[in-house]
Amino acid sequence: MKLLIYIFLCSIDILSAGSVDERRFVNYIDISFLQGMNFEKGASYSGGNMNSSIGFLYDFNENKSLSLDYLLSYSGPSISYENRFFDERIINHSAMIEYSTRLSKYVRLRPHIYYGKEYRKDSAIGNFTDNLYNNDSKGFGLSMDYYPSRDNTFTTYMVYRKIEFPNYTDLLYEFLNPGVATEIGGGLYDNNLYRFGAKLMSGEFFYSIDYTMQRYTNQKIIESDASYGNDKQKDDEVELRIGMQHRISDSSIYPAFTYTIHSSNQNFLRFKSFTDVTPVFVADAYDYKELGFDLPVYFKFIGLDMNLSAGFKNRDYSKRPPRNSENNYIYGKKENDRLFSFSLTASKKINDLASFVFYYSIVNSSSNNKFEYYIPFNYTGQMFGIGYKISY
């Protein structure tokens, strides 16, 4: 990170000195801070976010360029439970270098290399170093852009990431054999991620398909007798997306529909307590289909830049039954989760570089799964916040 900041500061100095001809070297910085209060089920707690992006673009000529992007973000306590707890804190930082070359008038290639780290913490106490879900990610990718006409762009890409979880251990083995956690090494959740996709932009409309494969290097499949089988975990996901980008004067609207099919050969064992010797087995517990809709709108109002966004997701699990408040499965039914979100951001420019931001968000989650001991499924949460943004 120190090296990247040094490169960025040097690039600012070079650019301001006018030593680079024809503005072939361009740098940027985009930093935003948001601090607010979350309200959920009669409780309130503070939370905040910080996002920063630093980078530069260098044009060798009209056909070749090189870019470097460094991203750093912090996400504090939130009202959204997706893949996290309410009080969880997450730090992400990553760097990507991309080389772009135009092969012809219609074709451009963009290879890149990537490195990232993610740290998590479950509460205000402790530190970020020992969380189970801390991970390192590194890899590469290649994109190809095809421009058949002025209003049409077709892009295909492939991405590879090696994701390592140095602290993730054998939780099932620890549960069945208390006191042996120190004897188990990390890395159980390590996996190789492959993603392939294509996107067509035609006029105001866009269509995309993405296919993601995760192949785990150590994680085995849990069997009904609470033992591991011979097969390793494999997750696959297909996402179809269709939407449009429409401008009306100073306003823009970007409605989009998303349909996702997620499948995994991993199973699930439900232990009701630490003394439970007869756990319930659910095969293919992570398979689901999800339909989503997003409606971002951008417009100006009384001198403010307004960003309104509404979204809805409906997820149906293929084989996982819901659980009642007593943590018993309701057989004959399948779990269904629904999430509605709405946010409104108003920003006011202070000068050419800085803006002051006001933020409001509401999330409503509902599910026929009534068991909410660890992660809530049925709640309504709100957040009010103010922030500050710098762009250069």
Side-chain angles (χ1 to χ4, degrees):
M1 179 179 179
K2 291 180 180 179
L3 175 61
L4 293 172
I5 293 175
Y6 175 77
I7 293 173
F8 174 75
L9 293 176
C10 290
S11 68
I12 292 178
D13 181 66
I14 293 172
L15 184 60
S16 62
S19 59
V20 180
D21 294 335
E22 301 177 0
R23 307 283 291 189
R24 290 167 60 186
F25 188 89
V26 178
N27 48 44
Y28 71 90
I29 182 170
D30 193 340
I31 301 178
S32 62
F33 305 89
L34 180 68
Q35 181 66 40
M37 288 295 298
N38 299 286
F39 301 88
E40 188 269 327
K41 289 186 177 180
S44 62
Y45 50 94
S46 63
N49 298 284
M50 187 279 289
N51 293 283
S52 63
S53 178
I54 300 173
F56 68 80
L57 172 68
Y58 182 76
D59 288 324
F60 297 98
N61 52 50
E62 63 181 8
N63 294 321
K64 302 181 186 298
S65 64
L66 180 70
S67 64
L68 182 148
D69 297 283
Y70 175 75
L71 305 177
L72 173 65
S73 67
Y74 166 81
S75 178
S78 171
I79 57 174
S80 177
Y81 78 84
E82 289 191 294
N83 299 320
R84 61 178 299 180
F85 301 103
F86 281 141
D87 60 351
E88 190 172 38
R89 292 149 171 83
I90 303 174
I91 294 177
N92 273 292
H93 71 92
S94 63
M96 186 172 77
I97 300 176
E98 182 179 84
Y99 177 73
S100 176
T101 178
R102 185 179 290 275
L103 301 182
S104 69
K105 179 181 178 179
Y106 304 104
V107 178
R108 179 182 291 275
L109 285 182
R110 295 183 287 113
H112 76 260
I113 56 175
Y114 171 90
Y115 178 76
K117 295 181 75 71
E118 180 179 83
Y119 299 95
R120 297 186 177 220
K121 187 169 67 168
D122 295 332
S123 63
I125 60 175
N127 54 56
F128 285 92
T129 61
D130 55 0
N131 191 279
L132 284 175
Y133 296 98
N134 288 355
N135 63 84
D136 302 327
S137 177
K138 52 183 176 288
F140 58 88
L142 176 65
S143 300
M144 183 187 74
D145 305 313
Y146 174 60
Y147 309 93
S149 66
R150 180 178 178 181
D151 296 327
N152 294 276
T153 303
F154 180 71
T155 299
T156 60
Y157 75 90
M158 65 79 59
V159 167
Y160 167 75
R161 298 286 186 264
K162 182 176 180 60
I163 306 175
E164 299 176 312
F165 292 78
N167 300 329
Y168 199 99
T169 61
D170 191 331
L171 298 182
L172 175 62
Y173 187 68
E174 290 183 30
F175 183 85
L176 296 175
N177 302 273
V180 300
T182 57
E183 302 175 8
I184 304 171
L188 184 65
Y189 216 53
D190 293 358
N191 65 88
N192 294 297
L193 183 147
Y194 309 86
R195 181 171 293 152
F196 308 89
K199 181 177 182 179
L200 172 64
M201 297 188 65
S202 179
E204 295 184 334
F205 293 89
F206 66 87
Y207 317 85
S208 68
I209 179 171
D210 300 279
Y211 174 51
T212 303
M213 302 187 306
Q214 282 184 277
R215 298 297 182 256
Y216 292 81
T217 57
N218 299 311
Q219 179 69 69
K220 298 292 186 65
I221 300 304
I222 297 174
E223 303 290 355
S224 58
D225 59 356
S227 66
Y228 283 118
N230 296 321
D231 296 332
K232 295 181 180 179
Q233 182 174 338
K234 299 178 181 179
D235 290 4
D236 295 272
E237 184 171 288
V238 177
E239 180 181 276
L240 304 174
R241 188 172 176 86
I242 180 173
M244 67 177 298
Q245 305 174 356
H246 184 63
R247 292 186 59 86
I248 305 174
S249 185
D250 291 333
S251 302
S252 301
I253 181 171
Y254 301 91
F257 288 92
T258 304
Y259 184 66
T260 305
I261 302 174
H262 182 90
S263 62
S264 173
N265 62 349
Q266 186 58 276
N267 306 310
F268 182 73
L269 281 176
R270 190 280 316 264
F271 292 86
K272 292 193 67 174
S273 68
F274 284 103
T275 59
D276 188 356
V277 295
T278 57
V280 178
F281 177 77
V282 181
D284 302 321
Y286 300 95
D287 293 358
Y288 65 81
K289 297 177 181 178
E290 181 176 273
L291 179 65
F293 174 71
D294 295 297
L295 182 62
V297 180
Y298 306 89
F299 61 96
K300 292 184 178 293
F301 179 69
I302 59 172
L304 300 174
D305 294 321
M306 309 294 291
N307 181 348
L308 181 153
S309 180
F312 177 76
K313 294 181 180 180
N314 183 82
R315 177 179 295 184
D316 292 305
Y317 284 89
S318 302
K319 297 185 179 181
R320 179 192 300 184
R323 289 183 277 179
N324 60 24
S325 58
E326 302 298 324
N327 196 15
N328 294 316
Y329 281 114
I330 307 173
Y331 294 104
K333 295 184 177 181
K334 301 296 185 292
E335 182 175 334
N336 170 255
D337 302 335
R338 296 169 299 279
L339 184 70
F340 169 79
S341 61
F342 172 85
S343 64
L344 178 64
T345 303
S347 62
K348 174 67 176 178
K349 274 189 169 295
I350 303 173
N351 51 49
D352 291 340
L353 299 179
S355 301
F356 196 66
V357 180
F358 303 87
Y359 179 80
Y360 169 75
S361 177
I362 183 171
V363 173
N364 176 260
S365 175
S366 59
S367 173
N368 60 353
N369 186 356
K370 305 301 180 182
F371 180 69
E372 301 185 352
Y373 189 80
Y374 297 106
I375 299 179
F377 295 96
N378 295 276
Y379 73 96
T380 298
Q382 301 182 71
M383 178 181 178
F384 300 85
I386 57 174
Y388 189 73
K389 182 176 182 180
I390 301 173
S391 297
Y392 170 81

Coordinates of all heavy atoms in Angstrom, one line a residue, residues 259-328:
Y259 N -31.3 -13.2 -12.8 CA -31.8 -14.5 -12.4 C -30.6 -15.4 -12.1 O -29.7 -15.5 -13.0 CB -32.6 -15.2 -13.5 CG -33.2 -16.5 -13.1 CD1 -34.1 -16.6 -12.1 CD2 -32.8 -17.7 -13.8 CE1 -34.7 -17.9 -11.8 CE2 -33.3 -18.9 -13.5 CZ -34.2 -19.0 -12.4 OH -34.8 -20.2 -12.1
T260 N -30.5 -16.0 -10.9 CA -29.3 -16.7 -10.5 C -29.7 -18.2 -10.2 O -30.7 -18.4 -9.5 CB -28.6 -16.1 -9.3 OG1 -28.4 -14.7 -9.6 CG2 -27.4 -16.8 -8.9
I261 N -28.9 -19.1 -10.6 CA -29.0 -20.5 -10.3 C -27.7 -20.9 -9.6 O -26.6 -20.9 -10.2 CB -29.2 -21.4 -11.5 CG1 -30.5 -21.0 -12.2 CG2 -29.4 -22.9 -11.1 CD1 -30.8 -21.7 -13.5
H262 N -27.8 -21.3 -8.3 CA -26.6 -21.7 -7.5 C -26.7 -23.2 -7.1 O -27.8 -23.6 -6.6 CB -26.5 -20.8 -6.3 CG -25.2 -21.2 -5.5 ND1 -24.0 -20.5 -5.7 CD2 -25.0 -22.0 -4.5 CE1 -23.1 -21.0 -4.8 NE2 -23.7 -21.9 -4.1
S263 N -25.7 -23.9 -7.4 CA -25.7 -25.3 -7.0 C -24.4 -25.7 -6.3 O -23.3 -25.1 -6.6 CB -25.9 -26.2 -8.2 OG -24.8 -26.1 -9.1
S264 N -24.5 -26.6 -5.4 CA -23.3 -27.1 -4.6 C -23.5 -28.6 -4.2 O -24.7 -28.9 -3.9 CB -23.1 -26.2 -3.3 OG -22.1 -26.8 -2.5
N265 N -22.5 -29.3 -4.2 CA -22.6 -30.7 -3.8 C -22.4 -30.9 -2.3 O -22.4 -32.0 -1.8 CB -21.6 -31.6 -4.5 CG -20.2 -31.2 -4.3 OD1 -19.9 -30.2 -3.7 ND2 -19.2 -32.1 -4.7
Q266 N -22.3 -29.8 -1.6 CA -22.1 -29.8 -0.1 C -23.4 -30.0 0.6 O -24.4 -29.5 0.1 CB -21.4 -28.5 0.4 CG -21.1 -28.5 1.8 CD -20.1 -29.6 2.2 OE1 -20.5 -30.8 2.5 NE2 -18.8 -29.3 2.3
N267 N -23.4 -30.8 1.6 CA -24.6 -31.1 2.4 C -24.5 -30.3 3.8 O -23.5 -29.6 4.0 CB -24.7 -32.6 2.7 CG -24.6 -33.4 1.4 OD1 -25.4 -33.0 0.5 ND2 -23.8 -34.4 1.3
F268 N -25.5 -30.5 4.6 CA -25.5 -29.7 5.9 C -25.9 -30.6 7.0 O -26.8 -31.5 6.9 CB -26.5 -28.6 5.8 CG -26.6 -27.7 7.0 CD1 -25.6 -26.8 7.3 CD2 -27.8 -27.8 7.8 CE1 -25.7 -26.0 8.4 CE2 -27.9 -27.0 8.9 CZ -26.8 -26.1 9.2
L269 N -25.3 -30.5 8.2 CA -25.7 -31.2 9.4 C -26.1 -30.1 10.4 O -25.4 -29.2 10.7 CB -24.5 -31.9 10.0 CG -24.1 -33.3 9.4 CD1 -22.9 -33.8 10.0 CD2 -25.3 -34.3 9.5
R270 N -27.4 -30.3 10.9 CA -27.9 -29.4 11.9 C -27.8 -30.0 13.3 O -28.5 -30.9 13.7 CB -29.4 -29.1 11.6 CG -30.1 -27.9 12.4 CD -30.5 -28.3 13.8 NE -31.2 -29.6 13.8 CZ -32.5 -29.8 13.8 NH1 -33.3 -28.7 13.7 NH2 -33.0 -31.0 13.8
F271 N -26.9 -29.4 14.2 CA -26.8 -29.8 15.6 C -27.7 -28.8 16.4 O -27.4 -27.6 16.3 CB -25.4 -29.7 16.0 CG -24.5 -30.7 15.4 CD1 -23.9 -30.5 14.2 CD2 -24.2 -31.9 16.1 CE1 -23.0 -31.5 13.6 CE2 -23.4 -32.9 15.5 CZ -22.8 -32.7 14.3
K272 N -28.6 -29.3 17.2 CA -29.5 -28.4 17.9 C -28.7 -27.9 19.2 O -29.1 -26.8 19.7 CB -30.7 -29.1 18.4 CG -31.7 -29.4 17.2 CD -33.1 -29.8 17.7 CE -33.8 -28.6 18.4 NZ -35.2 -29.0 18.8
S273 N -27.7 -28.6 19.6 CA -27.0 -28.2 20.8 C -25.7 -28.9 20.8 O -25.4 -29.8 20.0 CB -27.8 -28.5 22.1 OG -27.9 -29.9 22.3
F274 N -24.8 -28.6 21.8 CA -23.5 -29.2 21.9 C -23.6 -30.6 22.4 O -22.7 -31.4 22.2 CB -22.6 -28.4 22.9 CG -22.1 -27.2 22.3 CD1 -22.6 -25.9 22.6 CD2 -21.0 -27.2 21.4 CE1 -22.1 -24.8 22.1 CE2 -20.5 -26.0 20.9 CZ -21.1 -24.8 21.2
T275 N -24.8 -31.0 22.9 CA -25.0 -32.4 23.4 C -25.8 -33.2 22.4 O -26.1 -34.4 22.7 CB -25.7 -32.4 24.7 OG1 -26.9 -31.7 24.6 CG2 -24.8 -31.7 25.8
D276 N -26.1 -32.7 21.2 CA -26.9 -33.4 20.2 C -26.0 -34.5 19.6 O -25.0 -34.2 18.9 CB -27.4 -32.4 19.2 CG -28.4 -33.0 18.2 OD1 -28.6 -34.2 18.3 OD2 -28.9 -32.3 17.4
V277 N -26.4 -35.7 19.7 CA -25.7 -36.8 19.1 C -26.4 -37.4 17.9 O -25.9 -38.3 17.3 CB -25.4 -38.0 20.2 CG1 -24.6 -37.5 21.3 CG2 -26.8 -38.5 20.7
T278 N -27.5 -36.8 17.5 CA -28.3 -37.3 16.3 C -28.6 -36.1 15.5 O -29.7 -35.6 15.4 CB -29.6 -38.0 16.7 OG1 -30.3 -37.1 17.5 CG2 -29.2 -39.3 17.5
P279 N -27.5 -35.5 14.8 CA -27.8 -34.3 14.0 C -28.7 -34.6 12.8 O -28.6 -35.8 12.3 CB -26.4 -33.9 13.6 CG -25.6 -35.1 13.6 CD -26.1 -35.9 14.8
V280 N -29.4 -33.6 12.3 CA -30.3 -33.8 11.1 C -29.5 -33.5 9.9 O -28.7 -32.5 9.8 CB -31.5 -32.9 11.2 CG1 -32.4 -33.0 10.0 CG2 -32.3 -33.2 12.5
F281 N -29.6 -34.4 8.9 CA -28.8 -34.3 7.7 C -29.7 -33.7 6.6 O -30.8 -34.2 6.4 CB -28.3 -35.7 7.2 CG -27.6 -35.7 5.9 CD1 -26.3 -35.3 5.8 CD2 -28.2 -36.2 4.8 CE1 -25.6 -35.3 4.6 CE2 -27.6 -36.3 3.6 CZ -26.2 -35.8 3.5
V282 N -29.2 -32.7 5.8 CA -29.9 -32.1 4.7 C -29.0 -32.2 3.5 O -27.9 -31.5 3.5 CB -30.3 -30.7 5.0 CG1 -31.1 -30.1 3.8 CG2 -31.2 -30.6 6.2
A283 N -29.4 -32.9 2.5 CA -28.6 -33.1 1.3 C -28.8 -31.9 0.4 O -29.9 -31.3 0.3 CB -29.0 -34.3 0.5
D284 N -27.7 -31.4 -0.3 CA -27.8 -30.3 -1.2 C -28.5 -29.1 -0.6 O -29.3 -28.4 -1.2 CB -28.5 -30.7 -2.5 CG -27.9 -31.9 -3.2 OD1 -26.7 -32.0 -3.2 OD2 -28.6 -32.8 -3.7
A285 N -28.0 -28.8 0.6 CA -28.7 -27.7 1.4 C -28.4 -26.3 0.8 O -29.1 -25.3 1.2 CB -28.3 -27.7 2.8
Y286 N -27.4 -26.2 -0.1 CA -27.0 -24.8 -0.5 C -27.5 -24.5 -2.0 O -27.2 -23.5 -2.5 CB -25.5 -24.7 -0.4 CG -25.0 -24.8 1.0 CD1 -24.6 -26.1 1.4 CD2 -25.0 -23.8 1.9 CE1 -24.1 -26.3 2.7 CE2 -24.6 -24.0 3.2 CZ -24.1 -25.2 3.6 OH -23.7 -25.4 4.9
D287 N -28.3 -25.4 -2.6 CA -28.8 -25.2 -3.9 C -30.0 -24.2 -3.8 O -30.9 -24.3 -3.0 CB -29.3 -26.5 -4.5 CG -28.2 -27.4 -4.8 OD1 -27.0 -27.1 -4.6 OD2 -28.5 -28.5 -5.3
Y288 N -30.0 -23.2 -4.7 CA -31.1 -22.2 -4.7 C -31.2 -21.6 -6.1 O -30.3 -21.6 -6.9 CB -31.0 -21.2 -3.6 CG -29.8 -20.2 -3.8 CD1 -29.8 -19.1 -4.6 CD2 -28.6 -20.4 -3.0 CE1 -28.8 -18.3 -4.8 CE2 -27.5 -19.6 -3.2 CZ -27.6 -18.5 -4.0 OH -26.5 -17.7 -4.2
K289 N -32.4 -20.9 -6.3 CA -32.6 -20.1 -7.4 C -33.1 -18.7 -6.9 O -33.9 -18.7 -6.0 CB -33.7 -20.7 -8.4 CG -33.3 -22.0 -9.0 CD -34.4 -22.6 -9.8 CE -33.9 -24.0 -10.4 NZ -35.0 -24.6 -11.2
E290 N -32.6 -17.7 -7.5 CA -32.9 -16.3 -7.0 C -33.3 -15.4 -8.2 O -32.6 -15.3 -9.2 CB -31.7 -15.8 -6.2 CG -31.9 -14.4 -5.6 CD -30.7 -14.0 -4.8 OE1 -30.7 -14.3 -3.6 OE2 -29.9 -13.3 -5.4
L291 N -34.3 -14.6 -8.0 CA -34.8 -13.6 -8.9 C -34.6 -12.2 -8.3 O -35.0 -12.0 -7.1 CB -36.2 -13.8 -9.3 CG -36.8 -12.8 -10.3 CD1 -36.1 -12.9 -11.7 CD2 -38.3 -13.0 -10.5
G292 N -33.9 -11.3 -9.0 CA -33.7 -10.0 -8.4 C -34.0 -8.9 -9.3 O -34.1 -9.1 -10.6
F293 N -34.4 -7.7 -8.8 CA -34.7 -6.6 -9.6 C -34.0 -5.3 -8.9 O -34.1 -5.2 -7.7 CB -36.2 -6.3 -9.7 CG -36.6 -5.0 -10.4 CD1 -36.3 -4.9 -11.7 CD2 -37.1 -4.0 -9.6 CE1 -36.7 -3.7 -12.4 CE2 -37.4 -2.8 -10.3 CZ -37.2 -2.7 -11.6
D294 N -33.3 -4.5 -9.7 CA -32.7 -3.3 -9.2 C -33.2 -2.1 -10.0 O -33.3 -2.2 -11.2 CB -31.2 -3.4 -9.2 CG -30.6 -4.5 -8.4 OD1 -30.8 -4.4 -7.1 OD2 -30.0 -5.5 -8.9
L295 N -33.3 -1.0 -9.3 CA -33.8 0.2 -10.0 C -33.0 1.4 -9.5 O -33.5 2.2 -8.6 CB -35.3 0.4 -9.8 CG -35.9 1.7 -10.5 CD1 -35.7 1.5 -12.0 CD2 -37.4 1.8 -10.2
P296 N -31.8 1.7 -10.0 CA -31.1 2.9 -9.6 C -31.5 4.1 -10.5 O -31.8 3.9 -11.7 CB -29.6 2.5 -9.9 CG -29.6 1.1 -10.2 CD -31.0 0.7 -10.7
V297 N -31.7 5.2 -9.8 CA -32.1 6.4 -10.5 C -31.2 7.6 -10.1 O -30.9 7.8 -8.9 CB -33.5 6.8 -10.2 CG1 -33.9 8.1 -11.0 CG2 -34.5 5.7 -10.6
Y298 N -30.6 8.3 -11.0 CA -29.8 9.5 -10.7 C -30.5 10.8 -11.3 O -30.9 10.8 -12.4 CB -28.4 9.3 -11.3 CG -27.7 8.0 -10.9 CD1 -27.9 6.9 -11.7 CD2 -26.9 8.0 -9.8 CE1 -27.3 5.7 -11.3 CE2 -26.3 6.8 -9.4 CZ -26.5 5.6 -10.2 OH -25.9 4.5 -9.8
F299 N -30.5 11.8 -10.5 CA -31.1 13.1 -10.9 C -30.7 14.2 -10.1 O -30.0 14.0 -9.0 CB -32.7 12.9 -10.9 CG -33.3 12.7 -9.5 CD1 -33.7 13.7 -8.7 CD2 -33.4 11.4 -9.0 CE1 -34.3 13.5 -7.5 CE2 -33.9 11.1 -7.8 CZ -34.3 12.2 -7.0
K300 N -30.9 15.4 -10.5 CA -30.6 16.6 -9.8 C -31.9 17.3 -9.2 O -32.9 17.3 -9.8 CB -29.9 17.6 -10.7 CG -28.5 17.2 -11.1 CD -27.8 18.2 -11.9 CE -26.4 17.8 -12.3 NZ -25.5 17.7 -11.1
F301 N -31.7 17.8 -8.0 CA -32.9 18.4 -7.3 C -32.4 19.5 -6.4 O -31.5 19.3 -5.5 CB -33.6 17.4 -6.5 CG -34.8 17.9 -5.8 CD1 -35.9 18.3 -6.4 CD2 -34.8 17.9 -4.4 CE1 -37.0 18.8 -5.7 CE2 -35.9 18.4 -3.7 CZ -37.0 18.8 -4.3
I302 N -32.8 20.8 -6.6 CA -32.5 22.0 -5.9 C -31.0 22.1 -5.6 O -30.6 22.3 -4.5 CB -33.3 22.1 -4.6 CG1 -33.1 20.9 -3.7 CG2 -34.8 22.3 -4.9 CD1 -33.8 21.1 -2.3
G303 N -30.2 21.8 -6.6 CA -28.8 21.9 -6.5 C -28.1 20.7 -5.9 O -26.8 20.8 -5.7
L304 N -28.8 19.6 -5.6 CA -28.2 18.4 -5.1 C -28.2 17.3 -6.1 O -29.0 17.2 -7.0 CB -29.1 17.9 -3.9 CG -29.2 18.9 -2.7 CD1 -30.2 18.3 -1.7 CD2 -27.9 19.1 -2.0
D305 N -27.1 16.5 -6.0 CA -27.0 15.3 -6.9 C -27.7 14.1 -6.1 O -27.2 13.8 -5.0 CB -25.6 14.9 -7.2 CG -24.9 16.0 -8.0 OD1 -25.6 16.5 -9.0 OD2 -23.7 16.3 -7.8
M306 N -28.8 13.6 -6.6 CA -29.6 12.6 -5.9 C -29.3 11.2 -6.5 O -29.3 11.1 -7.8 CB -31.1 12.9 -6.0 CG -31.4 14.4 -5.6 SD -31.1 14.7 -3.9 CE -32.4 13.7 -3.1
N307 N -29.2 10.2 -5.7 CA -29.0 8.9 -6.1 C -30.0 8.0 -5.3 O -29.9 7.8 -4.1 CB -27.6 8.4 -5.8 CG -27.4 7.0 -6.2 OD1 -28.3 6.2 -6.6 ND2 -26.1 6.6 -6.2
L308 N -31.0 7.5 -6.0 CA -32.1 6.7 -5.5 C -32.0 5.3 -6.0 O -31.8 5.1 -7.2 CB -33.5 7.3 -5.8 CG -34.7 6.6 -5.3 CD1 -35.8 7.7 -5.1 CD2 -35.2 5.5 -6.2
S309 N -32.1 4.3 -5.1 CA -31.9 2.9 -5.5 C -32.9 2.0 -4.8 O -33.0 2.1 -3.5 CB -30.5 2.5 -5.3 OG -30.3 1.1 -5.7
A310 N -33.6 1.2 -5.5 CA -34.6 0.2 -4.9 C -34.2 -1.1 -5.4 O -33.9 -1.3 -6.6 CB -36.0 0.6 -5.2
G311 N -34.3 -2.1 -4.6 CA -34.0 -3.5 -5.0 C -34.8 -4.5 -4.3 O -35.3 -4.3 -3.2
F312 N -35.0 -5.7 -5.0 CA -35.8 -6.8 -4.4 C -35.1 -8.1 -4.8 O -34.7 -8.3 -6.0 CB -37.2 -6.7 -4.9 CG -38.1 -7.9 -4.4 CD1 -38.5 -7.9 -3.1 CD2 -38.4 -9.0 -5.2 CE1 -39.2 -9.0 -2.6 CE2 -39.1 -10.0 -4.8 CZ -39.6 -10.1 -3.5
K313 N -35.0 -9.1 -3.9 CA -34.5 -10.4 -4.2 C -35.5 -11.4 -3.6 O -35.9 -11.3 -2.5 CB -33.1 -10.6 -3.6 CG -32.0 -9.7 -4.2 CD -30.7 -10.0 -3.6 CE -29.6 -9.1 -4.2 NZ -28.3 -9.4 -3.6
N314 N -35.7 -12.5 -4.4 CA -36.5 -13.6 -3.9 C -35.7 -14.9 -4.1 O -35.4 -15.2 -5.3 CB -37.8 -13.7 -4.6 CG -38.7 -14.8 -4.1 OD1 -39.4 -14.6 -3.1 ND2 -38.7 -15.9 -4.8
R315 N -35.3 -15.6 -3.0 CA -34.5 -16.8 -3.1 C -35.3 -18.0 -2.7 O -35.8 -18.0 -1.6 CB -33.2 -16.6 -2.3 CG -32.3 -17.9 -2.3 CD -31.1 -17.6 -1.4 NE -30.2 -16.6 -2.0 CZ -29.0 -16.3 -1.5 NH1 -28.6 -16.9 -0.4 NH2 -28.3 -15.3 -2.1
D316 N -35.3 -19.0 -3.5 CA -36.0 -20.3 -3.2 C -35.0 -21.4 -3.2 O -34.3 -21.7 -4.2 CB -37.0 -20.6 -4.3 CG -38.2 -19.7 -4.2 OD1 -38.8 -19.5 -3.2 OD2 -38.5 -19.1 -5.3
Y317 N -34.8 -22.0 -2.0 CA -33.9 -23.2 -1.9 C -34.5 -24.4 -2.4 O -35.7 -24.6 -2.2 CB -33.5 -23.4 -0.4 CG -32.5 -22.3 0.1 CD1 -32.9 -21.1 0.6 CD2 -31.1 -22.6 0.0 CE1 -32.0 -20.2 1.1 CE2 -30.2 -21.7 0.4 CZ -30.6 -20.5 0.9 OH -29.7 -19.5 1.4
S318 N -33.7 -25.2 -3.1 CA -34.3 -26.4 -3.8 C -34.7 -27.5 -2.8 O -35.7 -28.2 -3.0 CB -33.2 -26.9 -4.8 OG -32.9 -25.9 -5.7
K319 N -33.9 -27.7 -1.8 CA -34.1 -28.9 -0.9 C -34.1 -28.5 0.6 O -34.5 -29.3 1.4 CB -33.1 -30.0 -1.2 CG -33.2 -30.5 -2.6 CD -32.2 -31.7 -2.8 CE -32.3 -32.3 -4.2 NZ -31.4 -33.4 -4.4
R320 N -33.6 -27.3 0.9 CA -33.5 -27.0 2.3 C -34.9 -26.6 2.9 O -35.5 -25.7 2.5 CB -32.6 -25.8 2.5 CG -32.4 -25.4 4.0 CD -31.7 -24.0 4.1 NE -30.4 -24.0 3.6 CZ -29.5 -23.0 3.6 NH1 -29.9 -21.9 4.2 NH2 -28.3 -23.1 3.1
P321 N -35.4 -27.3 3.9 CA -36.6 -27.0 4.6 C -36.4 -25.8 5.5 O -35.3 -25.7 6.1 CB -37.1 -28.3 5.3 CG -35.8 -29.0 5.6 CD -34.8 -28.6 4.4
P322 N -37.4 -25.0 5.8 CA -37.3 -23.9 6.8 C -37.3 -24.5 8.2 O -37.7 -25.7 8.4 CB -38.5 -23.1 6.5 CG -39.5 -24.0 5.9 CD -38.8 -25.0 5.1
R323 N -36.9 -23.7 9.1 CA -37.0 -24.1 10.6 C -37.9 -23.2 11.3 O -38.0 -22.0 11.1 CB -35.5 -24.1 11.1 CG -34.7 -25.2 10.6 CD -33.3 -25.2 11.2 NE -32.4 -24.2 10.6 CZ -31.1 -24.0 11.0 NH1 -30.6 -24.7 12.0 NH2 -30.4 -23.1 10.4
N324 N -38.6 -23.8 12.3 CA -39.5 -23.0 13.2 C -38.6 -22.3 14.3 O -37.4 -22.5 14.4 CB -40.6 -23.8 13.7 CG -40.2 -25.0 14.5 OD1 -39.1 -25.0 15.1 ND2 -41.0 -26.0 14.6
S325 N -39.3 -21.6 15.1 CA -38.6 -20.9 16.2 C -37.9 -21.8 17.2 O -37.1 -21.4 18.0 CB -39.6 -19.9 16.9 OG -40.7 -20.7 17.5
E326 N -38.3 -23.1 17.2 CA -37.7 -24.1 18.1 C -36.5 -24.8 17.4 O -36.0 -25.8 18.0 CB -38.8 -25.1 18.5 CG -40.0 -24.5 19.3 CD -39.6 -23.8 20.5 OE1 -38.7 -24.3 21.2 OE2 -40.2 -22.7 20.8
N327 N -36.1 -24.3 16.3 CA -35.0 -24.9 15.5 C -35.4 -26.3 15.0 O -34.5 -27.2 14.9 CB -33.7 -25.0 16.3 CG -32.5 -25.2 15.5 OD1 -32.6 -25.1 14.3 ND2 -31.4 -25.6 16.1
N328 N -36.6 -26.6 14.7 CA -37.0 -27.9 14.1 C -37.4 -27.6 12.7 O -38.0 -26.6 12.3 CB -38.3 -28.4 14.9 CG -37.9 -28.8 16.3 OD1 -36.9 -29.5 16.5 ND2 -38.8 -28.5 17.2

